Amino acid sequence: MFVQEPPRLDNTYEADSPLRGYLARTLPADVLREIEPELQELGALAGGPLYRLQLEDRTDEPVHIPWNAWGERIDEVRLTRVWQEAEPLAVRFGLVATAYEQAHGAFSRIHQFAKVYLFAPSTDIYACPLAMTDGAARTLLDSGNRRLIERALPHLTSRDPATFWTSGQWMTELTGGSDVGSSQTVARREADGTWRLYGRKWFVSAITSQMALILARPEGNPPGGRGLALFYAELRDERGRPRGFQILRLKDKLGTRKLPTAEVLLEGLPAEPVAGLTHGTRAIAPMLNVTRTWNAITAAALMQRGLMLARDYARRRIAFGRPLAEHPLHLDTLAGLQAETAAAFHLAFLVAELMGRVEAEAASDDERALLRLLTPVAKLTTARQAVAVLSEVLEAFGGAGYVEDTGLPVLLRDAQVLPIWEGTTNVLALDVLRALEDTGGLKPLHRAFGTWLREVPEALAPLAHEARAALQAADAWLAETVDDPVRLQADARRFALTLGRAAALALLVRQAAWSQTRGDKRLAAAAHRFARHSVNLLPTGTPPAESRMLALDEPSKS
């Protein structure tokens, strides 16, 4: 009887040419020599024991236990085996700590996110609590609140599993979603000066965290985001019991099912203001910038995982008398997916690189402006790429891609959260428009293109021209819509995606130029293929009046 060989993974660091090429170009040789053994070890774990445990633990999900046998409310959450294994590994490898130890200065974020990129696909979205922990550490540091920094930061950045904390991020409510200004959570000050929080948080990821940063409205404050404050809370007492909150239920989600996401009732949770009693959304902005970068890195990592499996399977699966790897149409399909994945990788890691330079106080004004602009751009661009690429990856396996016990469908289901978490594509597109007010428009990006594309060989010059042309088209669109707020908002998504794809193409060309001097033409091929997938998306827009007629199925009023 015929038995199909499944796809296999080896050391995912050794097999990842985009990651290794990027690190070789970007890092000083002594830094790369120092960190590479750790990346080799993590790649071996990710492609070996962790991947096998994922497959074995495929059907396990977290369980909420509201009461103990004697009727005491405990709200315990039992985690899956993968998550139980993931935390001590994450702590030992310093997936949060690396960014704050600053052992490699401005390169510390590159080092950190290279580890995250290898770790995330094999640990069932355990990257989510790590992202929020990283974001909480950054938020507390930026707040200047010395008491909370001294209290929490040693836990958030610990390399000891016995003292390590993760942090939650409690913002989302039924009233608002991304519109956190509609929050109804109330902060009340007691007679002794302490604060307690009351309300209902509809979507709380990683409910097992030891602390959380929470948006709430102090009594008497005005409505909207200005009236919110950011609060710090430690969630459980020394016995592990909740301190003033109940878990109402764990969410039944399309994907990220290993991640315990809860609906929570706050019943007097003790809390402490982080940075004053107003402008909480401004205070939590550093958290969002960090977690959006984790989102982009995770998108690239999941895409690469899907492609690694699809490439290996193409060599093992015989169809119509020969391996899939010998069918030109199948090769063409995988080539297109690799081009999108390489583009996503370089866009995501550029943001990580810029973050590291800013945190090390080594960034120019232009680099600070680019970080502000490209963080939402990279998040929304890579998230949409991930969903499209992983849908196609499943199709590359035929029926096996649709069967749960192959472990393949979870790639697509988990990827679907990426365009939603930390702001949908539309919400982030509007943030890109706000970012332009902070950066003085697109001039910093134009200057960056000039630097990235300064020394391009003749064979890549048409691609450099196409990247610049897309950026110029975006600039022209801005000039045309400056006095038309309806069109400005209606086309904001196409504008943001054009920026993302233009930047990704420019970065691919830069890496391809470097790689070609070392005899590697793969990145040049990826850049050519990516350019054929459309970079400038602005000309395809539908006028706002037509959009309303189509979206709401309303008759034309003209």
Side-chain angles (χ1 to χ4, degrees):
M1 183 179 70
F2 173 77
V3 177
Q4 173 61 49
E5 279 191 82
R8 297 174 189 169
L9 291 175
D10 293 315
N11 186 308
T12 58
Y13 174 69
E14 293 180 355
D16 199 313
S17 60
L19 173 62
R20 296 181 69 177
Y22 169 79
L23 295 177
R25 182 185 62 78
T26 307
L27 297 179
D30 60 330
V31 173
L32 182 57
R33 278 195 303 272
E34 184 178 337
I35 72 172
E36 196 160 36
E38 183 180 44
L39 299 179
Q40 290 273 9
E41 182 184 359
L42 193 50
L45 284 170
L50 283 176
Y51 178 60
R52 289 194 294 272
L53 178 58
Q54 264 190 319
L55 295 176
E56 293 168 8
D57 198 41
R58 184 186 59 78
T59 59
D60 195 15
E61 294 188 6
V63 177
H64 174 215
I65 304 168
W67 312 92
N68 70 11
W70 304 101
E72 181 185 10
R73 185 85 192 199
I74 58 173
D75 279 317
E76 179 185 342
V77 176
R78 292 183 183 167
L79 299 173
T80 65
R81 288 169 57 204
V82 171
W83 270 52
Q84 291 174 40
E85 294 279 344
E87 179 166 305
L89 282 174
V91 177
R92 176 165 73 86
F93 281 98
L95 263 67
V96 176
T98 298
Y100 297 90
E101 293 164 347
Q102 287 285 299
H104 303 296
F107 302 109
S108 296
R109 281 290 184 182
I110 296 176
H111 181 198
Q112 176 204 22
F113 279 116
K115 291 189 285 189
V116 170
Y117 173 84
L118 294 168
F119 176 87
S122 291
T123 48
D124 289 342
I125 313 299
Y126 187 74
C128 174
L130 295 177
M132 293 187 292
T133 302
D134 189 351
R138 185 75 261 158
T139 299
L140 292 177
L141 283 170
D142 286 1
S143 76
N145 187 321
R146 295 311 312 172
R147 201 196 82 76
L148 294 182
I149 291 169
E150 292 169 7
R151 168 64 179 158
L153 199 69
H155 291 288
L156 299 174
T157 60
S158 175
R159 282 184 181 257
D160 180 359
T163 60
F164 178 68
W165 288 359
T166 57
S167 177
Q169 170 190 315
W170 294 16
M171 297 194 302
T172 307
E173 300 184 17
L174 275 169
T175 51
S178 295
D179 180 13
V180 294
S182 300
S183 173
Q184 294 181 351
T185 299
V186 173
R188 293 178 186 155
R189 195 165 196 172
E190 304 292 322
D192 63 359
T194 61
W195 289 89
R196 292 187 179 272
L197 307 184
Y198 299 85
R200 182 179 169 192
K201 294 297 185 183
W202 185 76
F203 203 90
V204 172
S205 290
I207 189 59
T208 54
S209 294
Q210 289 85 355
M211 61 159 282
L213 296 182
I214 305 172
L215 288 177
R217 194 178 311 281
E219 284 188 313
N221 272 20
R226 186 171 62 87
L228 291 175
L230 181 62
F231 286 87
Y232 164 95
E234 294 178 17
L235 301 176
R236 293 181 182 261
D237 62 22
E238 62 280 358
R239 298 172 59 222
R241 303 299 189 250
R243 301 173 70 225
F245 74 91
Q246 286 187 18
I247 298 176
L248 300 178
R249 56 175 170 165
L250 295 185
K251 294 295 193 179
D252 188 9
K253 299 168 294 179
L254 169 69
T256 65
R257 297 183 67 89
K258 306 303 184 85
L259 166 62
T261 303
E263 190 169 346
V264 170
L265 183 66
L266 305 178
E267 300 178 303
L269 174 64
E272 186 173 339
V274 173
L277 297 178
T278 57
H279 298 292
T281 51
R282 184 186 303 167
I284 207 170
M287 161 85 78
L288 300 179
N289 290 333
V290 170
T291 53
R292 286 169 178 171
T293 304
W294 278 73
N295 200 99
I297 296 292
T298 301
L302 290 176
M303 293 160 74
Q304 183 70 322
R305 169 57 55 85
L307 270 168
M308 283 183 174
L309 292 168
R311 277 199 295 265
D312 185 78
Y313 189 69
R315 296 183 176 100
R316 299 177 188 278
R317 176 63 174 171
I318 305 297
F320 306 105
R322 51 184 173 159
L324 289 175
E326 295 180 13
H327 288 274
L329 181 55
H330 195 76
L331 290 177
D332 182 76
T333 301
L334 294 184
L337 301 182
Q338 181 58 48
E340 289 290 328
T341 300
F345 173 91
H346 285 282
L347 183 58
F349 268 89
L350 173 69
V351 175
E353 188 176 335
L354 291 169
M355 184 186 295
R357 291 188 60 76
V358 168
E359 290 176 349
E361 298 185 355
S364 66
D365 289 344
D366 268 4
E367 287 172 325
R368 291 178 181 276
L370 284 176
L371 180 61
R372 170 68 185 98
L373 176 63
L374 291 181
T375 298
V377 165
K379 191 275 187 186
L380 70 88
T381 303
T382 58
R384 296 197 65 77
Q385 286 174 301
V387 174
V389 165
L390 288 166
S391 178
E392 193 75 62
V393 162
L394 263 58
E395 190 174 340
F397 286 90
Y402 201 67
V403 175
E404 287 288 351
D405 55 9
T406 64
L408 295 167
V410 69
L411 288 168
L412 179 58
R413 287 192 282 104
D414 284 352
Q416 187 61 66
V417 80
L418 298 171
I420 296 170
W421 188 53
E422 302 298 44
T424 63
T425 306
N426 285 354
V427 167
L428 286 166
L430 296 178
D431 187 49
V432 171
L433 297 182
R434 287 191 295 273
L436 293 175
E437 299 173 6
D438 301 331
T439 62
L442 293 175
K443 290 180 182 178
L445 191 54
H446 278 286
R447 289 191 285 268
F449 271 44
T451 301
W452 301 339
L453 302 174
R454 183 174 296 147
E455 297 179 7
V456 172
E458 185 176 349
L460 294 172
L463 302 180
H465 174 77
E466 184 163 349
R468 289 192 180 100
L471 181 58
Q472 289 163 357
D475 234 348
W477 173 85
L478 272 179
E480 293 169 8
T481 58
V482 66
D483 295 320
D484 188 350
V486 173
R487 186 180 167 204
L488 185 71
Q489 184 173 133
D491 283 346
R493 175 194 284 235
R494 284 179 284 272
F495 170 73
L497 286 167
T498 296
L499 293 184
R501 295 186 70 81
L505 177 57
L507 294 166
L508 275 178
V509 170
R510 176 177 67 168
Q511 183 73 25
W514 180 88
S515 297
Q516 281 196 162
T517 64
R518 287 148 181 84
D520 187 348
K521 297 182 179 181
R522 286 174 292 183
L523 262 292
H528 279 283
R529 183 58 178 263
F530 182 74
R532 295 202 294 272
H533 291 177
S534 296
V535 178
N536 177 10
L537 306 182
L538 282 165
T540 62
T542 302
E546 289 183 21
S547 292
R548 183 177 182 85
M549 181 172 61
L550 290 170
L552 302 181
D553 197 23
E554 293 181 346
S556 173
K557 295 181 180 179
S558 59

